[in-house]
């Protein structure tokens, strides 16, 4: 259970900030190259929402799968 929780937390937690995952940095570079820059705080505002939603979906799965 703890290994799955660690894997989900590390993977989904990378969505929270622009530097949380390499893919986020790539997306910011592509956006800047296309003259649509995304600030760190703008990314974080939406990234935290995505992170909370995905963790809220994974938590019940871990409970049902391993604790019931």
């Amino acid at each position: 259970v703890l290994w799955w929780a660690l894997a989900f937390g590390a993977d989904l937690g990378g969505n929270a900030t622009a530097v949380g995952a390499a893919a986020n940095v790539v997306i910011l570079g592509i956006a800047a190259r296309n003259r649509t820059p995304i600030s760190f705080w703008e990314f974080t505002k939406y990234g935290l929402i995505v992170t909370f939603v995905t963790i809220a979906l994974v938590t019940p799965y871990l409970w049902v799968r391993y604790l019931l």
Side-chain angles (χ1 to χ4, degrees):
V1 176
L2 294 177
W3 284 109
W4 277 109
L6 176 66
F8 280 130
D11 182 45
L12 300 175
N15 295 331
T17 64
V19 294
N24 300 348
V25 177
V26 171
I27 290 299
L28 291 177
I30 291 171
R33 187 174 20 169
N34 289 313
R35 297 184 191 105
T36 311
I38 302 170
S39 72
F40 177 83
W41 294 112
E42 183 179 1
F43 188 96
T44 302
K45 179 174 63 173
Y46 293 106
L48 285 174
I49 294 169
V50 170
T51 300
F52 287 131
V53 169
T54 53
I55 289 176
L57 292 172
V58 168
T59 301
Y61 168 75
L62 289 175
W63 275 90
V64 169
R65 175 81 167 101
Y66 293 105
L67 298 176
L68 295 180

